[in-house]
Amino acid sequence: MTTLQDPVIAPDPTIQPATRRFGAGTGSRAVIGFGLAAVALFGLAPVVLGDFRLGLLAKYLCLAIVAVGIGLAWGRGGMLTLGQGVFFGLGGYAMAMHLKLTDAGPGQLPDFMQLYGQLDTLPWWWKPFASPAFALAATVLLPMLVALLLGLLIFRRRVRGAYFAILSQALCAALAIFLIGQQGTTGGTNGLTDIQGFFGYDLNDPLNRRTVYFVVAAALLAVLGIAWQLMRSRYGELLVAVRDGEERVRFLGYDPANVKLVAYVVAAGMAGLAGALFVPAVGIISPAMIGVVPSIEFVIGVAVGGRAGLVGPALGAIAVAWARTALSERLPSAWTYFEGLLFILPVVFLPGGLASLAVLLRRRTAKKEVAA
Amino acid sequence: MTGLTVRDLKVVFDGFVAVGGVDLDVPAGDVRFIIGPNGAGKTTLVDAITGLARATGTVTFDGQELLGRKVHRIARLGVGRTFQNSTVFEELTVLQNLDIAAGWHRGPLTLLRRRTSIPPRVQAALETIRLTAVRDQLAGTLPHGQKQWLEIGMLLVQDAKLFLLDEPVAGMSHEERDATGELLGELSRDHTVVVIEHDMDFLRRFARTVTVMHAGRILSEGTVAEVQADPRVQEVYLGHSVEA
């Protein structure tokens, strides 16, 4: 709390108005930013990177889409979503179920069901996923619906802080365990693997894999656009207010549960979309990709990049995923330690993440100018 | 406007009677100060009126029963409050704080768009609380006195008709106290103001009526002079150092 001695009355040049501070700035800056990102993703990366590296980048961009949602829910809304694997998984499995059914052909059972045996007909809950429209809508709407129901229970009961984080984590552990237990209908530990086609396009064809990359890149830009609008809107300001003073907001006539619910549901939709795109980009979805550990890894990327910003979470997710690949190629055993360090360092020394480095530097130069 | 009516209000925490049967009438347009020793139940009374503490009895404001409603529903009926420790949103600017306070009735479409201009009500409040010059500054960087004014401004734009202020001048300088007192006078033209306060000097200068609480009950009520002359009040304050 500031005391009476605090002499700040004139506008302080070192303090940015909140909208700029958080990196969701004015229209022209944003247009330039989106333009640069589009050039990098659509112009630069496909030229510079070979097919293999471009495929890896597509995977990283999927993680970045999850990160954008976490940035919204955690960075702006204060909800430490340690269980985004649930929504990532729902989206991923919805997509993979459709692709497995298409791979198998009309009237046929997916390969793993034939392998494990006991089933003669498709389980009833698989059937709607034969429709591409249903499956596509389900990848985003199913996670959002689940988040809505969960959120209503959680936020109305004022579960928050560590309890919310633990609850989210328990949910993704539960989903992973459930999937493993249903080997005959979900593929169990193996997951849904060996996906060959993507809406009629052969995923073994490098050209089609490049197309998948472009779809993922476009989705990332769209998701960033949604987050940008939400963050600069009045809702975005209200969300920050709820994060910093939930009780106070109540006394202003708002129900904070509803405010949080919107961000939570949007973040779940983004995670679902990411899971759905992850399937054609990587060719597999399995419980190991949606459980506790990957859910924590989603959050590490966001913490490293800076949770409260717009691009910080996405860049952090890409950087951490890239570092993971680079390090585990050279020193396979060292990655786990490095990853732990990556989470601890920003939390302890740089709570704003890498994005806040720029702000710190800008403030330092501004202070020097004032002093001079 | 009929003001605030409290009848037989009781608040009990785990067997401890914090407020034990309070009757209180604050007519519209009054500036009522509630004083009393620490633990007299002043803040708990405000907590009960605003839905934060569970209570029995009845509390009506402008004919509407408040007890049993949720905190945000009570706020929507025009009951606004501040806290002893200022609770502005420190990471947001003064303008953003006020704009949020003015907005509970906004629909989804307005919420999802950006604020393009300053709402007239917010502009007026900025001038009333004398913070126009610092409107783009983060609220967390304001000195304590200005934070308290921002709280009052948030009640103004929230369209509160009843202001419940918990120690608004604690920690303020003399000049800030005077300015706050004048502000309360301006507010009372079309609001009902209830102030919890320890500062007797401030009370003598700006209170219109005073209620004295002691041990969860109303001890005395009347004008400043009447209350000061009441022997029961003198007795309660004997041994308590009265800040002046």
Side-chain angles (χ1 to χ4, degrees):
Chain A
M1 206 162 92
T2 21
T3 59
L4 273 175
Q5 285 88 46
D6 202 351
V8 187
I9 287 179
D12 181 343
T14 62
I15 288 158
Q16 313 271 336
T19 44
R20 279 194 64 195
R21 248 167 57 89
F22 290 137
T26 54
S28 57
R29 265 174 45 121
V31 169
I32 295 170
F34 274 100
L36 286 177
V39 168
L41 287 174
F42 288 96
L44 199 60
V47 176
V48 176
L49 299 175
D51 284 339
F52 175 67
R53 293 284 162 193
L54 198 66
L56 282 181
L57 184 58
K59 178 179 160 187
Y60 303 162
L61 295 186
C62 291
L63 305 180
I65 293 174
V66 183
V68 173
I70 295 177
L72 191 69
W74 181 35
R76 294 299 173 105
M79 295 165 269
L80 179 49
T81 49
L82 269 180
Q84 289 305 83
V86 170
F87 309 119
F88 185 82
L90 288 172
Y93 271 88
M95 175 65 91
M97 282 160 74
H98 173 68
L99 299 184
K100 285 309 275 182
L101 288 174
T102 334
D103 281 354
Q108 296 292 309
L109 288 180
D111 49 9
F112 74 93
M113 284 189 194
Q114 297 173 7
L115 199 66
Y116 302 135
Q118 300 92 356
L119 291 168
D120 305 324
T121 53
L122 205 57
W124 61 269
W125 52 274
W126 268 75
K127 283 179 182 152
F129 289 93
S131 146
F134 178 88
L136 271 182
T139 59
V140 178
L141 294 183
L142 189 63
M144 289 176 87
L145 181 69
V146 171
L148 181 72
L149 296 175
L150 280 176
L152 279 174
L153 281 172
I154 293 172
F155 301 132
R156 287 277 149 85
R157 283 162 193 275
R158 306 193 187 176
V159 176
R160 58 195 146 202
Y163 299 98
F164 173 81
I166 291 165
L167 186 63
S168 331
Q169 188 138 86
L171 285 170
C172 71
L175 180 64
I177 291 165
F178 170 79
L179 289 169
I180 291 171
Q182 308 293 313
Q183 189 164 42
T185 51
T186 66
T189 317
N190 297 338
L192 300 177
T193 61
D194 198 24
I195 283 156
Q196 302 292 324
F198 184 56
F199 295 97
Y201 295 94
D202 182 1
L203 284 174
N204 295 315
D205 182 343
L207 198 65
N208 288 341
R209 295 181 68 88
R210 285 183 97 82
T211 311
V212 169
Y213 164 81
F214 285 118
V215 172
V216 177
L220 175 61
L221 284 183
V223 161
L224 280 171
I226 292 170
W228 177 71
Q229 178 59 29
L230 282 177
M231 286 181 180
R232 73 205 281 261
S233 70
R234 277 179 150 129
Y235 169 77
E237 298 177 349
L238 183 57
L239 185 62
V240 171
V242 169
R243 178 193 71 190
D244 295 342
E246 187 167 335
E247 288 310 310
R248 184 74 185 89
V249 169
R250 231 182 266 287
F251 286 99
L252 296 175
Y254 297 96
D255 188 350
N258 294 340
V259 180
K260 291 163 89 168
L261 193 58
V262 172
Y264 185 59
V265 168
V266 170
M270 290 176 179
L273 175 67
L277 293 170
F278 185 87
V279 170
V282 182
I284 179 175
I285 186 87
S286 78
M289 292 160 187
I290 70 174
V292 171
V293 173
S295 291
I296 293 174
E297 286 176 349
F298 291 144
V299 171
I300 291 178
V302 176
V304 168
R307 61 177 183 250
L310 175 67
V311 292
L315 290 179
I318 295 169
V320 169
W322 171 81
R324 180 198 183 125
T325 310
L327 261 168
S328 29
E329 276 171 5
R330 291 181 186 86
L331 305 157
S333 55
W335 166 249
T336 324
Y337 301 104
F338 187 67
E339 187 173 42
L341 206 61
L342 267 183
F343 194 44
I344 294 167
L345 286 180
V347 168
V348 176
F349 296 107
L350 202 61
L354 292 176
S356 65
L357 270 183
V359 177
L360 282 178
L361 285 176
R362 219 184 297 153
R363 275 193 201 175
R364 192 156 285 181
T365 32
K367 267 195 188 134
K368 273 187 192 146
E369 279 165 19
V370 170
Chain B
M1 275 169 71
T2 54
L4 176 72
T5 310
V6 176
R7 287 289 170 272
D8 195 27
L9 187 80
K10 286 196 183 101
V11 181
V12 181
F13 299 120
D14 291 332
F16 169 74
V17 181
V19 175
V22 161
D23 291 342
L24 183 71
D25 288 282
V26 184
D30 198 0
V31 180
R32 169 73 53 95
F33 274 55
I34 299 181
I35 61 166
N38 284 331
K42 307 177 298 282
T43 299
T44 310
L45 174 67
V46 169
D47 286 350
I49 294 171
T50 52
L52 195 58
R54 192 183 288 261
T56 58
T58 62
V59 176
T60 57
F61 178 67
D62 283 356
Q64 300 258 27
E65 175 65 48
L66 302 185
L67 286 195
R69 290 182 200 257
K70 289 182 175 169
V71 166
H72 68 277
R73 300 271 172 208
I74 294 174
R76 290 178 182 191
L77 291 174
V79 178
R81 75 173 291 184
T82 64
F83 295 82
Q84 284 175 31
N85 301 317
S86 77
T87 49
V88 295
F89 306 117
E90 309 217 329
E91 296 274 310
L92 297 172
T93 66
V94 170
L95 180 57
Q96 285 172 321
N97 269 276
L98 288 171
D99 188 63
I100 286 170
W104 65 260
H105 56 270
R106 286 181 190 134
L109 277 181
T110 317
L111 277 176
L112 290 177
R113 267 179 283 147
R114 201 177 174 216
R115 185 189 59 249
T116 47
S117 62
I118 301 179
R121 185 203 285 281
V122 169
Q123 184 61 48
L126 274 172
E127 277 152 31
T128 308
I129 59 174
R130 305 162 174 86
L131 293 184
T132 311
V134 293
R135 68 169 192 224
D136 290 324
Q137 203 169 308
L138 293 184
T141 66
L142 294 179
H144 176 72
Q146 291 190 337
K147 277 186 192 166
Q148 285 290 353
W149 290 344
L150 176 55
E151 295 257 17
I152 292 173
M154 286 162 78
L155 298 188
L156 271 174
V157 295
Q158 185 187 345
D159 209 13
K161 295 180 186 69
L162 173 64
F163 280 39
L164 302 164
L165 309 177
D166 199 348
E167 299 195 28
V169 299
M172 279 190 183
S173 68
H174 272 293
E175 295 75 22
E176 286 173 329
R177 277 165 206 240
D178 291 348
T180 309
E182 283 163 29
L183 190 56
L184 295 186
E186 286 171 38
L187 290 178
S188 69
R189 280 199 293 264
D190 33 29
H191 300 87
T192 308
V193 182
V194 174
V195 184
I196 295 177
E197 197 46 78
H198 278 301
D199 186 325
M200 299 310 271
D201 178 52
F202 184 69
L203 171 132
R204 275 190 284 273
R205 291 178 54 199
F206 297 107
R208 222 162 279 168
T209 55
V210 182
T211 296
V212 186
M213 283 186 76
H214 177 58
R217 292 173 183 278
I218 305 282
L219 189 68
S220 177
E221 205 164 80
T223 63
V224 177
E226 286 165 4
V227 165
Q228 276 185 318
D230 189 330
R232 288 173 303 174
V233 176
Q234 290 167 354
E235 192 189 317
V236 163
Y237 273 96
L238 273 180
H240 292 275
S241 62
V242 179
E243 299 160 46

